[in-house]
Amino acid sequence: MATRGRRGRPVLNPGFGKEDTKNGSTIHPTILKQARKSGQLNLSGRSLATVPDAVWSLYADVSEESKDVSLDNSEDRWWDSAELTKLILASNWLTSLAEGLSNFGALTVLDLHDNRLESLPEALGGLKNLQKLDISRNKMFELPECVTKAVSLRTLHMAHNQVARIDERIGNLNNLEDLDVSNNQLQALPRRIGHLSRLSKFNASNNKIQRLPPDVGAMFGLRYCDLTHNQLGELPNNLGHLLYLEQLYVRHNHLADIPLLTQCSKLKELHLGNNRIQQITMAHLECLKSVTVLDLRDNQLTVLPEAITLLEGLERLDLSNNNLIGLPFTLGLIVSLKSIVLDGNPMKSIRRDIIMRGTMELKKYLHNRIDEPKPPPISSQGLESTEGQSGLIGGTGDGVSAHDMHTSKLLDYSGKQATDVPLDVWAVAEKSGVMTVDISKNKFSDLPNNLMLLQDTLKVLNLGFNCFTTLHQDISLFMNLVSLDLRNNSLSALPADMESLENMRDIFLSCNRFTSIPPVLFELKKLEILFIDNCKVDTIDAGGLCSLPRIGTLDLQNNNISQVPPELGNCTQLKSLLIGGNSFRNPRPAVLAKGTLALLEYLRNKIVT
């Protein structure tokens, strides 16, 4: 017979008859019998308001009848029963526990999470073998004193309560290795928390902590520390004494500065996002040489020092939403760096199209400008020195600078409402070896005349915000193209000949009329970034996407996708998958909000084998 738990989930009640109904709860004798044999009793999710007395008298209630049985019946040999070592009472309606807990002196695991407990029995302090206690998601307002007497505890989870204060006696738990006090009302931590020298994992996120005691520097075993979403205005210098610290999360606080983590030689991940940090100095970086992930997003940085190269193993650098106007060229020297995030910065010294090409191209750009010599004076035919002259070609009003084109290798003819580009502009572009052409925000409906003059040098082509309904097959002749921008046109297909563009890395197809991902794109094996959002795409070719070995970013937002194939989860090379704003119901928004890795795992788990 099935009943309903408090969250509406079905709760199985495994039988009636010979049940303990003394206090309104029912436990079948078979379950108790199995617990005596295995030493484990799981009564989770049964809507219990109290623990049945039969549980506390688990061993005392062995009847005379059960003792007077055949010696050949191994199932009823009561003298072979195992002591209870694991008791799970999670996800019930318990408001209290009886002192009968003292009957289970061998208990090593006690799981009470997701109940309504406000206190715990004193008997808990006498459980000298207890190693793991989970009292998360209850109604505790303080850490019960009895817990501080369970000196063998190695794991203590009390997240999602209303705890406003932790007693200094927590320092008695010197065997503790994992402590989770997240999602409470803590404003401070006790000084004696520093006595927890064996603590390896500490989570105090989502509280109201304003200051850390200097004693945290004595938690020498700490490897993982999460202080996210608190009210910390500073961190103690003693934090730098944590020799084995590997991951430190202090996002969403009020930090204006960070201490020198002088002895944290094993630190791999440092998450400082969403604070008020204005600078990170060479002295800071000298202490972070082992860091692989550095998160500085949503701060107030104006400069990134050239000493960033001290972080030789850096793999991910998040600088989004700061006040950076440029980057040190030396950043391009960090070989291990795989991801640089710069969104939301007022970059002036680096063109946006370079940033949009991805981390590898940005690194190449920065590397190539280290000790870059000044450009020589221009004195070739059609590129005479412009001193004393306008230096404009293609018309004095809407013309472009020959000098700028020569030095930047960029032809920028955007935003002119044009349908063609003057021949003299193409002539100078050819002689200058132009590699980037931007003719966006015009009225082109076909590839411009004379674009073929740049066939051998063109790498980046921006045709966005024009009037294209089809793309001419001649695009396939630009064999060196690595980035193609076709946003905001009226395209519904791409020419099959584009398969020859074997160096293509980035394609932007947003705001067009595609109803599916053009199949020719699956032939471009170096493709890393594909934006095809805000179109009319209604299907996802998971097999085609999985065949792209380097695809890292895929944006399919705001289309007509009604079903996401589970096989898309096999596309593990994806680092950023955006599929929100479509008509499908699964995955749910809550799954999408967890990020790309969680989404891919969710999809893989849905694959029917």
Side-chain angles (χ1 to χ4, degrees), residues 21 83 507 521 568 589:
T21 58
E83 289 190 275
I507 292 186
L521 298 184
L568 185 60

Side-chain angles (χ1 to χ4, degrees), residues 24 42 106-107 142 161 216 228 260 264 337 341 402 455 466 477 540 598:
N42 187 343
L107 209 60
E142 62 180 1
N161 279 280
V216 298
T228 302
L260 299 179
C264 299
L337 193 55
V341 186
Q455 179 181 351
N466 276 289
L477 301 176
I540 299 178

Side-chain angles (χ1 to χ4, degrees), residues 155-225:
T155 299
L156 173 57
H157 289 179
M158 51 184 298
H160 292 277
N161 279 280
Q162 299 295 318
V163 177
R165 176 180 172 274
I166 295 179
D167 193 278
E168 292 285 348
R169 280 171 287 194
I170 194 173
N172 297 339
L173 303 177
N174 52 20
N175 288 305
L176 210 57
E177 298 174 357
D178 181 357
L179 175 59
D180 187 348
V181 294
S182 62
N183 294 277
N184 279 286
Q185 300 295 320
L186 295 172
Q187 297 185 21
L189 295 175
R191 293 181 61 87
R192 288 190 63 196
I193 199 168
H195 289 202
L196 306 180
S197 59
R198 297 184 184 181
L199 197 67
S200 174
K201 184 176 181 181
F202 179 45
N203 187 351
S205 61
N206 293 283
N207 278 284
K208 300 177 180 179
I209 302 171
Q210 300 177 11
R211 196 182 191 96
L212 295 179
D215 306 68
V216 298
M219 300 165 70
F220 297 120
L222 204 59
R223 297 178 182 271
Y224 173 96
C225 181

Side-chain angles (χ1 to χ4, degrees), residues 404-447:
D404 289 348
M405 197 187 312
H406 180 77
T407 56
S408 67
K409 308 301 181 186
L410 164 67
L411 167 56
D412 186 352
Y413 208 78
S414 61
K416 300 181 183 296
Q417 300 298 305
T419 57
D420 201 1
V421 179
L423 180 58
D424 57 341
V425 173
W426 289 120
V428 175
E430 182 185 15
K431 292 177 181 177
S432 300
V434 160
M435 294 185 289
T436 302
V437 171
D438 184 354
I439 56 172
S440 62
K441 299 178 182 178
N442 283 295
K443 296 182 178 179
F444 288 94
S445 58
D446 202 352
L447 296 179

Side-chain angles (χ1 to χ4, degrees), residues 40-75:
Q40 300 184 12
L41 178 57
N42 187 343
L43 299 177
S44 61
R46 293 173 176 271
S47 301
L48 298 176
T50 58
V51 179
D53 292 341
V55 172
W56 305 130
S57 57
L58 182 62
Y59 298 99
D61 282 354
V62 179
S63 66
E64 291 300 321
E65 179 184 344
S66 66
K67 296 179 183 180
D68 189 19
V69 295
S70 170
L71 296 178
D72 296 329
N73 191 340
S74 60
E75 291 188 1

Side-chain angles (χ1 to χ4, degrees), residues 324-339:
L324 298 169
I325 61 173
L327 294 174
F329 294 154
T330 53
L331 190 62
L333 296 174
I334 304 180
V335 177
S336 59
L337 193 55
K338 300 175 183 177
S339 173

Side-chain angles (χ1 to χ4, degrees), residues 25 42 92 97 118 233 281 284 291 314 319 429 442 460 527 544 549:
S25 302
N42 187 343
N92 284 294
L97 286 183
E118 296 183 9
T281 66
H284 288 116
V291 166
L314 190 63
L319 297 166
N442 283 295
V460 179
L527 192 63

